[in-house]
């Protein structure tokens, strides 16, 4: 009933409210009324996000097109993380290469969830070279899931730097404070509400083991004062 009403209501406010509500519905099959609105300059952003709950096979192609054309590229990448298949990978790789911080982050999130195992070297490279905390979060999340022992050295080095920055104040919201005042907590999926770059890196090192991981865990003895637990 809500989806049907989206196509009938006339005001921007009503359309926006209904489209936002659709994001909290169970998965729905017919996205026709929503698809008709993704080119609307007034509500297109919200319409694309409303497609995150659909199983309509027409939706993915429409969202990929929006990403490629740059029309609401950020919500398009966000939505592809939920409904995308490997058909979305070429457009996501382009967005990662050319997009700004928020778009790059969203495209990395989508790539990680769709085909992360086949692009782990890309995630590892960006993790070592990019300074954006949001971007790094998604890269280390991919390493946590798909990385190998050969990537452990770079992660251990980064985590050690995080601990040593005990006097540096950085933005933080939500999640457990693993190292006071210096862990940046990034927006991410609900399943990872309490993960930080630090905790994801620790999970990765614990999973892969090896010499670099062993040295890192032994080194934690030196940083008792910087760690809460």
């Amino acid at each position: 009933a809500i989806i049907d009403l989206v196509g009938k209501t006339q005001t921007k406010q009503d359309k926006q409210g209904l489209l936002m509500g659709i994001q909290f519905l169970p998965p729905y099959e017919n996205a026709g009324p929503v698809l008709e609105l993704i080119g609307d300059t007034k509500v297109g952003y919200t319409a694309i996000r409303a497609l995150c709950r659909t199983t309509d096979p027409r939706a993915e192609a429409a969202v990929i097109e929006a990403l490629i054309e740059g029309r609401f590229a950020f919500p398009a990448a966000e939505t592809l993380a939920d409904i995308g298949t490997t058909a979305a990978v070429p457009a996501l790789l382009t967005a990662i290469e050319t997009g700004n911080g928020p778009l790059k982050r969203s495209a990395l999130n989508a790539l990680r969830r769709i085909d992360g195992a086949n692009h782990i070297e890309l995630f590892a490279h960006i993790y070592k070279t990019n300074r954006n905390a949001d971007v790094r979060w998604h890269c280390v999340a991919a390493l946590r899931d798909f990385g190998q022992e050969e990537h452990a050295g770079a992660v251990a080095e980064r985590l050690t730097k995080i601990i040593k920055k005990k006097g540096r104040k950085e933005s933080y919201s939500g999640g457990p404070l693993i190292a006071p005042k210096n862990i940046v907590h990034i927006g991410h999926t609900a399943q990872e509400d309490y993960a930080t770059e630090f905790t994801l890196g620790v999970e990765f090192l614990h999973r892969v083991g090896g010499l670099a991981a062993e040295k890192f865990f032994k080194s934690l003895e030196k940083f008792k004062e910087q760690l809460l637990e």
Side-chain angles (χ1 to χ4, degrees), residues 7-51:
K8 297 178 180 179
T9 188
Q10 298 299 314
T11 69
K12 174 185 175 181
Q13 291 80 4
D14 288 344
K15 288 182 185 294
Q16 287 278 29
L18 291 167
L19 289 168
M20 291 178 67
I22 289 172
Q23 298 178 43
F24 300 96
L25 293 177
Y28 62 98
E29 295 181 5
N30 181 15
V34 181
L35 286 168
E36 292 177 3
L37 295 174
I38 65 174
D40 189 316
T41 57
K42 295 180 179 179
V43 298
Y45 186 110
T46 316
I48 289 175
R49 288 303 295 132
L51 292 171

Side-chain angles (χ1 to χ4, degrees), residues 90-105:
L92 290 170
L93 289 173
T94 299
I96 290 168
E97 181 180 357
T98 62
N100 59 17
L103 178 56
K104 185 186 293 287
R105 180 198 72 200

Side-chain angles (χ1 to χ4, degrees), residues 98-136:
T98 62
N100 59 17
L103 178 56
K104 185 186 293 287
R105 180 198 72 200
S106 295
L108 283 166
N109 178 43
L111 182 65
R112 171 174 70 94
R113 293 171 60 184
I114 292 171
D115 199 29
N118 289 320
H119 295 86
I120 195 60
E121 293 305 325
L122 174 63
F123 285 104
H125 172 72
I126 295 175
Y127 185 67
K128 289 187 289 186
T129 59
N130 195 285
R131 297 179 62 116
N132 183 285
D134 292 23
V135 168
R136 280 202 307 261

